[in-house]
Amino acid sequence: MTAYNGKIYACGGNIAGGAIVSTVEVYDPKTNTWTKETPMPVVKRQFAAVGVATKGVFTLGGYGESYATLSRVDALVPANATSLALAK
């Protein structure tokens, strides 16, 4: 979870039943609403996330399917609704 442009981004993780997901949900405290954003390129859990002013939200490392270690950096760019891998 991280903040970016005054909103809170909840990315990936586990859902009921243990499945790992790539979903991205955004909370806007001004409107008190949640919306779905473009999902991450891969499923991830236990990763670091950081919001960088004027750039977007970046997710680093973590675990993927079958709990494989991920050595990748992904970016979510809300301004143009894209999610992409920066380094694998």
Side-chain angles (χ1 to χ4, degrees):
M1 197 174 287
T2 190
Y4 172 71
N5 277 354
K7 297 178 181 174
I8 299 171
Y9 285 73
C11 309
N14 291 84
I15 59 172
I20 304 170
V21 296
S22 63
T23 56
V24 176
E25 297 179 60
V26 183
Y27 175 70
D28 185 341
K30 289 182 183 177
T31 60
N32 193 31
T33 57
W34 285 91
T35 57
K36 291 197 184 257
E37 183 62 74
T38 304
M40 296 184 295
V42 297
V43 297
K44 284 188 180 189
R45 69 185 288 268
Q46 293 180 306
F47 56 90
V50 62
V52 178
T54 74
K55 301 295 181 193
V57 174
F58 296 84
T59 60
L60 306 98
Y63 296 96
E65 301 228 36
S66 302
Y67 296 94
T69 300
L70 298 175
S71 298
R72 61 183 291 140
V73 177
D74 297 300
L76 169 66
V77 185
N80 60 10
T82 60
S83 186
L84 56 123
L86 295 179
K88 295 181 186 176

